[in-house]
Amino acid sequence: MSLFVTFEGVEGSGKSTHVRLLAEHLRAAGRTVVETREPGGTPAGAAIRRLLLGDDAVPLEPLAELHLYCADRAQHVATVIRPALAAGHVVLCDRFSDSTLAYQGHARGLDLPTVRTLDALARDGLVPDVTFLLDCPPDEGLRRARGRDHGTDRFESAPLAFHERVRTGFLTLAAEEPGRFCIVDVTRAKDGVAGAIAREVERRLGAGVAAGTRS
């Protein structure tokens, strides 16, 4: 059966790593898995990602930034996520709507009802079946992110106070939807985190959760 799984968290929380580890686990169990990300899960999204996060990214007004993320999401949902779910696949996505609410709403200070309205239009009623919030102190996440073998993007360069607001935003969203969110402490060993995530996904697959049907 299909399942839509998203991974959220502050910079350096290990989202990409745990998407990969869960995909490996599920494929070994015979599942068909689609790994994707936002922004950048489509050719159009890759161009948007360069505008937002590339080496030549330029400063953007928060509202302009929000519209770019929503444009990426609308294309992503229509051309990648919904078709994969309709085909019965498990979709693992590195960031989705909750990042928009946490970063552009809670951290950038945009009007949350406006952010929610634009995001709802972009995702066209699609809601993850389960969202793993990979939680760690922002200073620890930034230490990890800035130690990776790549350049620092404009979010990683933002002050610690910005990332504290992002984390608070994620925790607020998780408290609002405890049935969808699973908060995972990623300061513990990676294997333990990966195991906990895999067990929860297998539980939901075994329970026959209908993918992406909520609005």
Side-chain angles (χ1 to χ4, degrees), residues 103-138:
Y103 279 79
Q104 280 69 55
H106 288 272
R108 290 280 194 233
L110 288 176
D111 177 64
L112 273 171
T114 299
V115 177
R116 289 184 184 276
T117 296
L118 292 174
D119 168 66
L121 288 170
R123 59 182 171 82
D124 190 29
L126 183 67
V127 178
D129 295 298
V130 57
T131 296
F132 291 102
L133 174 53
L134 306 184
D135 186 48
C136 70

Short mmCIF file of all heavy atoms in Angstrom, two decimals, residues 103-138:
data_model
loop_
_atom_site.label_atom_id
_atom_site.label_comp_id
_atom_site.label_asym_id
_atom_site.label_seq_id
_atom_site.Cartn_x
_atom_site.Cartn_y
_atom_site.Cartn_z
N TYR A 103 9.32 27.93 8.90
CA TYR A 103 10.33 28.90 8.46
C TYR A 103 9.71 30.23 8.04
O TYR A 103 10.11 31.30 8.53
CB TYR A 103 11.14 28.32 7.29
CG TYR A 103 12.25 27.39 7.70
CD1 TYR A 103 11.97 26.06 8.04
CD2 TYR A 103 13.57 27.81 7.74
CE1 TYR A 103 12.98 25.19 8.41
CE2 TYR A 103 14.59 26.94 8.11
CZ TYR A 103 14.29 25.63 8.44
OH TYR A 103 15.29 24.78 8.82
N GLN A 104 8.76 30.18 7.10
CA GLN A 104 8.21 31.43 6.60
C GLN A 104 7.17 32.04 7.54
O GLN A 104 7.04 33.26 7.61
CB GLN A 104 7.58 31.22 5.21
CG GLN A 104 8.59 31.18 4.08
CD GLN A 104 9.49 29.97 4.09
OE1 GLN A 104 9.01 28.84 4.10
NE2 GLN A 104 10.80 30.19 4.10
N GLY A 105 6.45 31.19 8.28
CA GLY A 105 5.48 31.69 9.23
C GLY A 105 6.08 32.02 10.58
O GLY A 105 6.25 33.19 10.93
N HIS A 106 6.45 31.01 11.34
CA HIS A 106 6.93 31.23 12.70
C HIS A 106 8.25 31.99 12.75
O HIS A 106 8.44 32.85 13.62
CB HIS A 106 7.05 29.89 13.42
CG HIS A 106 5.75 29.27 13.79
ND1 HIS A 106 5.09 29.53 14.97
CD2 HIS A 106 4.96 28.39 13.11
CE1 HIS A 106 3.96 28.85 15.01
NE2 HIS A 106 3.86 28.15 13.90
N ALA A 107 9.18 31.68 11.85
CA ALA A 107 10.51 32.29 11.95
C ALA A 107 10.62 33.60 11.18
O ALA A 107 11.21 34.57 11.68
CB ALA A 107 11.58 31.31 11.47
N ARG A 108 10.06 33.66 9.97
CA ARG A 108 10.12 34.90 9.19
C ARG A 108 9.08 35.92 9.65
O ARG A 108 9.20 37.10 9.37
CB ARG A 108 9.90 34.61 7.71
CG ARG A 108 11.01 33.85 7.02
CD ARG A 108 12.15 34.78 6.65
NE ARG A 108 13.06 34.13 5.72
CZ ARG A 108 14.36 34.03 5.89
NH1 ARG A 108 14.92 34.52 6.99
NH2 ARG A 108 15.12 33.44 4.99
N GLY A 109 8.03 35.43 10.32
CA GLY A 109 7.03 36.35 10.84
C GLY A 109 5.91 36.70 9.89
O GLY A 109 5.15 37.64 10.15
N LEU A 110 5.77 35.95 8.79
CA LEU A 110 4.63 36.18 7.90
C LEU A 110 3.34 35.78 8.60
O LEU A 110 3.33 34.90 9.47
CB LEU A 110 4.79 35.39 6.60
CG LEU A 110 5.85 35.89 5.61
CD1 LEU A 110 5.96 34.93 4.44
CD2 LEU A 110 5.54 37.29 5.13
N ASP A 111 2.24 36.39 8.18
CA ASP A 111 0.93 36.09 8.75
C ASP A 111 0.60 34.61 8.55
O ASP A 111 0.53 34.12 7.41
CB ASP A 111 -0.11 36.96 8.05
CG ASP A 111 -1.52 36.68 8.52
OD1 ASP A 111 -1.81 36.92 9.70
OD2 ASP A 111 -2.32 36.21 7.68
N LEU A 112 0.42 33.88 9.66
CA LEU A 112 0.23 32.43 9.57
C LEU A 112 -1.01 32.04 8.77
O LEU A 112 -0.96 31.09 7.98
CB LEU A 112 0.21 31.80 10.95
CG LEU A 112 1.59 31.42 11.52
CD1 LEU A 112 1.48 31.02 12.98
CD2 LEU A 112 2.21 30.28 10.71
N PRO A 113 -2.17 32.71 8.94
CA PRO A 113 -3.31 32.35 8.09
C PRO A 113 -3.02 32.49 6.60
O PRO A 113 -3.46 31.67 5.79
CB PRO A 113 -4.41 33.31 8.56
CG PRO A 113 -4.07 33.58 9.98
CD PRO A 113 -2.57 33.65 10.00
N THR A 114 -2.25 33.51 6.23
CA THR A 114 -1.87 33.68 4.83
C THR A 114 -0.98 32.54 4.36
O THR A 114 -1.16 31.98 3.28
CB THR A 114 -1.16 35.02 4.61
OG1 THR A 114 -2.05 36.09 4.96
CG2 THR A 114 -0.70 35.19 3.17
N VAL A 115 0.01 32.19 5.19
CA VAL A 115 0.91 31.08 4.84
C VAL A 115 0.10 29.79 4.69
O VAL A 115 0.29 29.03 3.73
CB VAL A 115 2.01 30.91 5.91
CG1 VAL A 115 2.88 29.70 5.60
CG2 VAL A 115 2.86 32.16 6.01
N ARG A 116 -0.80 29.54 5.61
CA ARG A 116 -1.62 28.32 5.55
C ARG A 116 -2.49 28.30 4.29
O ARG A 116 -2.65 27.25 3.65
CB ARG A 116 -2.49 28.20 6.80
CG ARG A 116 -1.72 27.88 8.07
CD ARG A 116 -2.67 27.69 9.26
NE ARG A 116 -1.97 27.48 10.50
CZ ARG A 116 -1.49 26.31 10.93
NH1 ARG A 116 -1.65 25.23 10.18
NH2 ARG A 116 -0.87 26.22 12.10
N THR A 117 -3.06 29.43 3.93
CA THR A 117 -3.92 29.48 2.75
C THR A 117 -3.15 29.18 1.48
O THR A 117 -3.58 28.37 0.64
CB THR A 117 -4.59 30.86 2.65
OG1 THR A 117 -5.44 31.06 3.78
CG2 THR A 117 -5.42 30.98 1.37
N LEU A 118 -1.99 29.82 1.31
CA LEU A 118 -1.19 29.59 0.11
C LEU A 118 -0.66 28.16 0.06
O LEU A 118 -0.65 27.52 -1.00
CB LEU A 118 -0.05 30.59 0.04
CG LEU A 118 -0.47 32.04 -0.21
CD1 LEU A 118 0.73 32.97 -0.11
CD2 LEU A 118 -1.15 32.19 -1.57
N ASP A 119 -0.24 27.65 1.21
CA ASP A 119 0.24 26.27 1.25
C ASP A 119 -0.88 25.29 0.92
O ASP A 119 -0.66 24.31 0.19
CB ASP A 119 0.82 25.96 2.63
CG ASP A 119 1.06 24.48 2.81
OD1 ASP A 119 1.93 23.93 2.10
OD2 ASP A 119 0.36 23.86 3.64
N ALA A 120 -2.07 25.52 1.43
CA ALA A 120 -3.19 24.62 1.17
C ALA A 120 -3.50 24.56 -0.32
O ALA A 120 -3.81 23.50 -0.88
CB ALA A 120 -4.42 25.06 1.96
N LEU A 121 -3.43 25.71 -0.99
CA LEU A 121 -3.64 25.73 -2.44
C LEU A 121 -2.55 24.93 -3.15
O LEU A 121 -2.83 24.17 -4.09
CB LEU A 121 -3.64 27.17 -2.95
CG LEU A 121 -4.87 28.01 -2.59
CD1 LEU A 121 -4.62 29.48 -2.94
CD2 LEU A 121 -6.11 27.50 -3.30
N ALA A 122 -1.31 25.08 -2.70
CA ALA A 122 -0.19 24.41 -3.35
C ALA A 122 -0.25 22.89 -3.20
O ALA A 122 0.03 22.16 -4.15
CB ALA A 122 1.13 24.93 -2.79
N ARG A 123 -0.63 22.42 -2.03
CA ARG A 123 -0.63 20.96 -1.82
C ARG A 123 -1.95 20.31 -2.22
O ARG A 123 -2.07 19.08 -2.21
CB ARG A 123 -0.27 20.62 -0.38
CG ARG A 123 -1.17 21.20 0.67
CD ARG A 123 -0.70 20.85 2.09
NE ARG A 123 -1.45 21.59 3.06
CZ ARG A 123 -2.66 21.25 3.50
NH1 ARG A 123 -3.24 20.16 3.05
NH2 ARG A 123 -3.28 21.99 4.41
N ASP A 124 -2.96 21.12 -2.54
CA ASP A 124 -4.21 20.61 -3.11
C ASP A 124 -4.84 19.51 -2.24
O ASP A 124 -5.27 18.47 -2.73
CB ASP A 124 -3.96 20.09 -4.53
CG ASP A 124 -5.25 19.76 -5.27
OD1 ASP A 124 -6.29 20.39 -4.97
OD2 ASP A 124 -5.21 18.86 -6.14
N GLY A 125 -4.87 19.75 -0.93
CA GLY A 125 -5.52 18.81 -0.02
C GLY A 125 -4.67 17.64 0.44
O GLY A 125 -5.12 16.85 1.28
N LEU A 126 -3.47 17.49 -0.09
CA LEU A 126 -2.61 16.38 0.30
C LEU A 126 -1.97 16.64 1.66
O LEU A 126 -1.41 17.72 1.89
CB LEU A 126 -1.52 16.17 -0.75
CG LEU A 126 -0.58 14.99 -0.51
CD1 LEU A 126 -1.32 13.66 -0.65
CD2 LEU A 126 0.59 15.05 -1.48
N VAL A 127 -2.05 15.66 2.56
CA VAL A 127 -1.46 15.76 3.90
C VAL A 127 -0.63 14.49 4.14
O VAL A 127 -1.07 13.38 3.81
CB VAL A 127 -2.55 15.89 4.98
CG1 VAL A 127 -1.94 15.94 6.38
CG2 VAL A 127 -3.41 17.11 4.73
N PRO A 128 0.55 14.62 4.71
CA PRO A 128 1.33 13.41 5.01
C PRO A 128 0.58 12.47 5.96
O PRO A 128 -0.17 12.91 6.82
CB PRO A 128 2.59 13.96 5.68
CG PRO A 128 2.69 15.38 5.21
CD PRO A 128 1.27 15.86 5.07
N ASP A 129 0.83 11.19 5.78
CA ASP A 129 0.27 10.20 6.70
C ASP A 129 1.04 10.20 8.02
O ASP A 129 0.45 9.97 9.08
CB ASP A 129 0.33 8.80 6.06
CG ASP A 129 -0.56 8.73 4.85
OD1 ASP A 129 -1.79 8.91 4.99
OD2 ASP A 129 -0.04 8.52 3.74
N VAL A 130 2.33 10.43 7.94
CA VAL A 130 3.14 10.53 9.15
C VAL A 130 4.28 11.52 8.88
O VAL A 130 4.85 11.52 7.78
CB VAL A 130 3.70 9.16 9.61
CG1 VAL A 130 4.51 8.47 8.54
CG2 VAL A 130 4.51 9.30 10.90
N THR A 131 4.56 12.35 9.86
CA THR A 131 5.66 13.32 9.76
C THR A 131 6.61 13.09 10.91
O THR A 131 6.21 13.14 12.08
CB THR A 131 5.12 14.75 9.81
OG1 THR A 131 4.30 14.98 8.66
CG2 THR A 131 6.26 15.77 9.83
N PHE A 132 7.86 12.82 10.59
CA PHE A 132 8.89 12.66 11.62
C PHE A 132 9.57 14.01 11.83
O PHE A 132 10.20 14.54 10.91
CB PHE A 132 9.91 11.60 11.21
CG PHE A 132 9.35 10.21 11.20
CD1 PHE A 132 8.99 9.59 10.01
CD2 PHE A 132 9.14 9.53 12.39
CE1 PHE A 132 8.45 8.32 10.00
CE2 PHE A 132 8.60 8.26 12.41
CZ PHE A 132 8.25 7.65 11.21
N LEU A 133 9.41 14.55 13.02
CA LEU A 133 10.11 15.77 13.40
C LEU A 133 11.40 15.35 14.08
O LEU A 133 11.40 14.84 15.21
CB LEU A 133 9.25 16.62 14.33
CG LEU A 133 9.92 17.87 14.92
CD1 LEU A 133 10.53 18.74 13.83
CD2 LEU A 133 8.93 18.65 15.78
N LEU A 134 12.51 15.52 13.36
CA LEU A 134 13.82 15.15 13.89
C LEU A 134 14.31 16.32 14.73
O LEU A 134 14.78 17.33 14.20
CB LEU A 134 14.78 14.83 12.74
CG LEU A 134 14.27 13.77 11.74
CD1 LEU A 134 15.34 13.47 10.70
CD2 LEU A 134 13.82 12.50 12.45
N ASP A 135 14.19 16.16 16.02
CA ASP A 135 14.37 17.29 16.92
C ASP A 135 15.74 17.29 17.57
O ASP A 135 16.20 16.25 18.09
CB ASP A 135 13.29 17.24 18.01
CG ASP A 135 13.33 18.47 18.90
OD1 ASP A 135 13.38 19.59 18.36
OD2 ASP A 135 13.31 18.31 20.14
N CYS A 136 16.39 18.45 17.53
CA CYS A 136 17.64 18.64 18.25
C CYS A 136 17.81 20.12 18.53
O CYS A 136 17.18 20.96 17.87
CB CYS A 136 18.84 18.09 17.47
SG CYS A 136 19.28 19.03 16.00
N PRO A 137 18.63 20.49 19.50
CA PRO A 137 18.88 21.91 19.74
C PRO A 137 19.46 22.56 18.49
O PRO A 137 20.34 21.99 17.84
CB PRO A 137 19.89 21.90 20.89
CG PRO A 137 19.69 20.57 21.57
CD PRO A 137 19.33 19.62 20.47
N PRO A 138 18.98 23.74 18.11
CA PRO A 138 19.47 24.37 16.88
C PRO A 138 20.97 24.59 16.84
O PRO A 138 21.58 24.49 15.76
CB PRO A 138 18.71 25.70 16.85
CG PRO A 138 17.44 25.41 17.57
CD PRO A 138 17.84 24.48 18.68
#
